[in-house]
Amino acid sequence: MNSLPKSVVIVGGSLSGLFHGLYLKRNGSNVVILEQDPNNFRSSHQAGIAYGYAVEEILHRYDATGLQPCTPSVATRIAYHRRQHFMQLGIIRHLTSWGLLYRILRANFDGMMSDAVPNPPLPMPGDGEGAYLVGRRVTSLEPEHGMVKVGFITSDGEEGFLYADLVIGADGVHSTIRNLVHAQVTKEYSGYVAWRGTICECELVPATALYFADRTSLNFLSDTYVVSYIIPPDSGSFTPGTRLVNWVWPSKPDPLATAPCNPPRRSRSPLCGSHLLTRHPFITKVNDALCDRAVFFNGKVILVGDAFATFRPHFAVATEQAARHCLGLGRVWGGEMTLQEWEEEAKTWGKTQWLRGRILGAFGTGRWWEFVKGLWKYVAFVVGLKVRGINFQGLGGQH
Ligand SMILES: Cc1cc2nc3c(=O)[nH]c(=O)nc-3n(C[C@H](O)[C@H](O)[C@H](O)COP(=O)(O)OP(=O)(O)OC[C@H]3O[C@@H](n4cnc5c(N)ncnc54)[C@H](O)[C@@H]3O)c2cc1C
């Protein structure tokens, strides 16, 4: 496949689906996104998105809203127990909310109007068609007459189907497409959960709001840590006082065992007390998954984003992976690389991040034996890459 497919069906209308949809539509393909959720206006699940070069590149090329998409974080500050300014690292990531990125991408893809984007951009010369159909759960895939037939069920229970030259499976960690193509996947529960939530800056005392204002904070405690950073609400306001402090706290399933604010413990997070202001915290089991292939049906079905590889959230690279997949496929469609080369690169980068997520997760939650095993596997993997002459630097970095 070395040219752009004419008709594309994308399964899953979250960030991976929208990156690929926007890229293809802007380059002239006709794209239909099928999303099982019946709502157009979906919200972030109380967590922020961190992103880097690849997302930035897609927005730079294809976002015509002119809106600010993120709040740049100038650095990462490490706090260790009560030492709130223990260390500072020059890691710069762009931080935003899922809901804002979703609204910006929808405005560009199918002109969806929202509180964040009240005036969506008009289609551009050379654009293909972009349709985003909600309430469509994909249930079947069949190769037919050189195309792929995609079967779905609507939220009213009606059955339907579409034909496409290419099907992109962007349907997340529990991917249906991955099951339908019988992909081999290593899927595991980490043994811990992540609590997360947001607090409006306006609810914090000024000193606490200032502490979180312009940097990502990692607060290491006994056998756990809390990561916090500023994000905009889904409506896209960046005015200080309206933004949200987003926090994520990996913990053993029994929260009392490691609670950062548990009085008897000798260490407390700077967010302690403040994070109790979160009215509706979320709890998610931390899983990861890694597929052995991304390309199926002779290149007519491709898995991308979390459907291909889901990482433990410690390095926050899921959204970046989705955008990297998209830019890489762009190079395939532009004739700069083959689909097999793209798949190899996606597998190597995916496995690198999958291993790194496991190491940091084990370190941050005080699972020392798991940490040593993870580190050993990572070193063996990196040495294997070096021996095979694969450029590890390029794969591990942002570009
Ligand atoms: C509503 C929502 C809010 C999120 N909020 C955050 C957040 O705040 N912070 C964060 O770090 N990550 C968040 N995520 C996850 C984040 O989007 C991903 O980890 C990452 O960006 C890669 O996403 P993805 O598009 O590959 O997969 P996902 O984001 O998991 O999206 C998969 C999509 O596929 C759809 N789908 C699944 N099966 C089918 C099917 N059979 N037919 C049709 N559609 C199907 C799902 O409904 C979903 O919309 C959120 C995801 C969703 C769906």
Side-chain angles (χ1 to χ4, degrees):
M1 189 206 339
N2 267 20
S3 59
L4 276 155
K6 281 205 176 65
S7 61
V8 183
V9 166
I10 297 180
V11 183
S14 177
L15 301 182
S16 293
L18 283 164
F19 288 142
H20 289 81
L22 180 58
Y23 187 104
L24 285 158
K25 173 201 134 142
R26 283 270 197 265
N27 285 285
S29 300
N30 296 323
V31 185
V32 179
I33 294 181
L34 299 175
E35 168 53 52
Q36 66 182 1
D37 193 303
N39 303 303
N40 271 313
F41 297 99
R42 304 167 78 191
S43 74
S44 308
H45 296 319
Q46 297 247 13
I49 296 274
Y51 70 77
Y53 155 78
V55 175
E56 207 180 352
E57 179 66 19
I58 292 178
L59 293 175
H60 173 69
R61 285 196 214 168
Y62 301 120
D63 171 24
T65 63
L67 293 175
Q68 180 180 346
C70 65
T71 168
S73 158
V74 291
T76 299
R77 178 190 17 231
I78 310 275
Y80 183 69
H81 292 253
R82 285 180 179 276
R83 298 169 67 184
Q84 295 186 8
H85 300 274
F86 182 67
M87 213 172 144
Q88 184 143 300
L89 306 173
I91 304 169
I92 297 180
R93 311 287 310 273
H94 301 304
L95 305 168
T96 192
S97 57
W98 183 93
L100 176 59
L101 212 45
Y102 168 81
R103 281 159 179 70
I104 290 178
L105 292 168
R106 282 291 305 267
N108 285 289
F109 178 71
D110 66 328
M112 187 182 89
M113 201 184 277
S114 64
D115 48 356
V117 195
N119 300 305
L122 295 170
M124 299 198 170
D127 274 10
E129 298 290 325
Y132 189 104
L133 307 180
V134 294
R136 266 66 166 190
R137 183 167 59 83
V138 170
T139 51
S140 67
L141 281 185
E142 274 170 57
E144 212 175 285
H145 312 305
M147 297 185 90
V148 185
K149 183 179 175 187
V150 183
F152 59 84
I153 298 183
T154 68
S155 28
D156 299 330
E158 283 172 25
E159 292 187 13
F161 60 86
L162 290 170
Y163 284 93
D165 295 322
L166 174 68
V167 174
I168 296 182
D171 52 346
V173 61
H174 305 297
S175 173
T176 303
I177 301 302
R178 196 171 61 204
N179 290 341
L180 291 172
V181 295
H182 306 294
Q184 294 288 322
V185 61
T186 310
K187 201 168 163 191
E188 236 176 72
Y189 167 53
S190 64
Y192 52 92
V193 297
W195 290 87
R196 57 205 169 87
T198 53
I199 314 151
C200 179
E201 269 181 312
C202 58
E203 293 189 60
L204 298 174
V205 295
T208 309
L210 195 65
Y211 182 85
F212 295 108
D214 62 354
R215 57 207 63 202
T216 303
S217 296
L218 275 168
N219 298 92
F220 283 97
L221 306 162
S222 302
D223 297 345
T224 189
Y225 71 99
V226 186
V227 57
S228 328
Y229 50 84
I230 290 277
I231 59 168
D234 291 351
S235 61
S237 168
F238 290 91
T239 311
T242 63
R243 305 175 302 179
L244 308 171
V245 176
N246 161 69
W247 56 268
V248 185
W249 164 43
S251 152
K252 287 169 188 151
D254 170 12
L256 294 179
T258 50
C261 296
N262 200 359
R265 300 194 72 85
R266 60 196 154 81
S267 61
R268 289 163 71 89
S269 154
L271 199 58
C272 187
S274 306
H275 85 294
L276 297 178
L277 293 171
T278 300
R279 288 180 192 88
H280 303 290
F282 274 74
I283 183 167
T284 326
K285 273 170 81 175
V286 175
N287 295 310
D288 61 15
L290 188 66
C291 245
D292 70 335
R293 284 168 61 197
V295 178
F296 304 86
F297 287 21
N298 267 334
K300 291 194 173 296
V301 177
I302 299 176
L303 292 177
V304 296
D306 279 15
F308 170 66
T310 307
F311 312 124
R312 295 188 189 175
H314 312 285
F315 281 103
V317 285
T319 308
E320 193 61 8
Q321 171 183 242
R324 281 180 64 97
H325 285 165
C326 172
L327 291 178
L329 284 171
R331 293 176 62 203
V332 174
W333 297 322
E336 290 173 51
M337 70 197 293
T338 65
L339 195 54
Q340 288 66 34
E341 284 166 344
W342 172 83
E343 185 182 40
E344 280 311 309
E345 205 210 62
K347 276 165 59 176
T348 310
W349 196 85
K351 185 151 184 190
T352 309
Q353 302 305 328
W354 182 77
L355 288 167
R356 290 176 67 197
R358 289 183 157 209
I359 297 169
L360 186 54
F363 177 78
T365 54
R367 297 156 173 264
W368 302 113
W369 176 230
E370 215 179 283
F371 171 70
V372 172
K373 272 197 308 187
L375 199 58
W376 166 246
K377 283 187 186 164
Y378 180 68
V379 171
F381 180 67
V382 172
V383 170
L385 290 181
K386 291 262 182 216
V387 169
R388 287 188 289 143
I390 296 173
N391 177 8
F392 173 72
Q393 194 72 32
L395 293 161
Q398 291 288 339
H399 293 262

